[in-house]
Every structure is written in C-alpha cells, then in structure tokens.
Amino acid sequence: MRLVGIIVISFLLGGLPTGLLLGKVLAHKDIRQSGSGNIGATNALRTLGIGFGILTFAGDLLKGILAVFLARVIAPADPLGVALAMFFAVFGHCYSPFLGFSGGKGVATVCGVMMAVDPPLTLCWLGVFFIIVAVTRLVSLGSITTIFCAALYTLFFTTHPFVIKVALLLCASVSIFRHHENIRRLLNGSEKRLGADHAS
C-alpha cells in the first residue's frame, strides 16, 4: 500500500500545472493560449517573460524534488519507492490528470527528480544544458541532449540502485517522446531559436 500511495501522490503532484497556475494567478493569462500552447518554462518565458519562466522552471523542478522526498518519508530506505516517485512525477507532469491527461514536456521535473537523487551530477548536467542553449539558442536541443546523456551516464557510470537508473531512463524516454514535434523541426531545420517569435 505504501508504494501505491507513492504512485498516487507523485502522479498528482507532478500533474500540478505550475506554469498555467502562475500565469492565471499572477498575470491573469492562460499560457496555453499563446506561443506553443505548452505549460512549461520555455513557453512561460516567451509568453510572460523571464521572471515567469524562472518561476515555472523552479516550480516544476520542486515537484520532482518533493515527490522523491515524500517517497523517502513514506517508504524509508526503499529505492523502489524513490524510483516510482521519480517516474510518476515526470509522467504526471507530461500527462496531467488536471488537464485531461495533456501536459508539458517534463524537462524541469526530470531535473528535479535527478536533483533529489544526485545533486552534484545534476548541477553538472545543468551546466551542459546551459552551454548547449547558449551556443545554439535551441532549448529543445539542449533539453533532449542533456536528458538523454544524463540518463545514459547514470545507467553506466554511477553506483545508484538499478531501479533508480531504470526510472531515470524511463523519465528521459517520456520527456524525449514529448519532444517529438521539436525533434521533427530540428531535423528539418525549422525549430525556432530562443529569442525568436513562437515558442517551442
């Protein structure tokens, strides 16, 4: 029952649409009606400005951290509980039960669950992300590349429990799948760069 509780709590917590809530409460706008229509930090930044982008990223990141923290409280010393919290927080963000099972792309929430499990390594990968975005101005490219590489690195080069490694790999897979339209645009050269009109 404890594991079921972790799944439910993590899914509902991950499903909270931070960007949508912040936009409606603080700016009285629905960010789904502008830019890409996505609820994530990139569209919040392009639609409402850098402050909202940062707040949205922080909120989505904290959902991942809190899900793992609660899993450790509910099922202490159980890596399976942490793994379930990681996956369902990200899955909930991408397929929110509060938005008809639509949602964001999960990048910040993946970052949150990683931060809760391995802060130093996560900070290193955040550095890689910002370097890619600074050079290319393609947030989607930075997100996809960083998440993919972080999951593979964790799988092969860390000593985390196997279920944690698998959970991160699944989180990365869900997030990358949610970027399928971005991947198509990257391949055909039509993906918009940061600072251009239209959100990714």
Side-chain angles (χ1 to χ4, degrees):
M1 286 302 294
R2 290 183 301 173
L3 296 180
V4 173
I6 288 171
I7 291 171
V8 173
I9 291 170
S10 300
F11 182 60
L12 294 177
L13 182 60
L16 292 173
T18 308
L20 177 63
L21 293 173
L22 287 172
K24 286 190 172 184
V25 172
L26 300 180
H28 308 292
K29 291 183 179 180
D30 185 337
I31 64 172
R32 295 174 298 178
Q33 305 303 316
S34 303
S36 67
N38 192 266
I39 63 168
T42 301
N43 196 41
L45 183 152
R46 286 173 162 162
T47 301
L48 299 173
I50 188 169
F52 278 93
I54 292 172
L55 285 174
T56 300
F57 183 87
D60 289 340
L61 181 143
L62 286 172
K63 292 191 301 187
I65 294 174
L66 184 56
V68 172
F69 172 79
L70 291 175
R72 287 171 171 160
V73 171
I74 296 170
D78 185 352
L80 178 58
V82 171
L84 290 171
M86 292 170 66
F87 175 74
F88 281 98
V90 173
F91 190 78
H93 176 85
C94 294
Y95 299 97
S96 172
F98 306 111
L99 300 176
F101 298 99
S102 64
K105 296 175 182 176
V107 176
T109 308
V110 172
C111 182
V113 299
M114 286 179 59
M115 185 72 74
V117 169
D118 195 332
L121 190 58
T122 305
L123 291 174
C124 290
W125 285 113
L126 275 174
V128 172
F129 167 79
F130 285 118
I131 289 171
I132 294 173
V133 173
V135 171
T136 67
R137 293 190 295 118
L138 290 167
V139 176
S140 58
L141 179 63
S143 300
I144 294 165
T145 302
T146 304
I147 289 173
F148 177 74
C149 292
L152 288 184
Y153 183 90
T154 302
L155 180 63
F156 292 112
F157 299 108
T158 70
T159 59
H160 293 298
F162 184 68
V163 288
I164 299 294
K165 297 179 179 183
V166 171
L168 182 55
L169 194 61
L170 291 174
C171 289
S173 299
V174 171
S175 181
I176 291 171
F177 174 77
R178 293 289 291 172
H179 281 84
H180 63 275
E181 292 182 1
N182 301 88
I183 293 171
R184 175 180 55 80
R185 292 195 296 267
L186 285 167
L187 291 174
N188 65 30
S190 63
E191 179 76 325
K192 300 297 181 179
R193 298 179 188 271
L194 195 63
D197 293 330
H198 180 74
S200 65

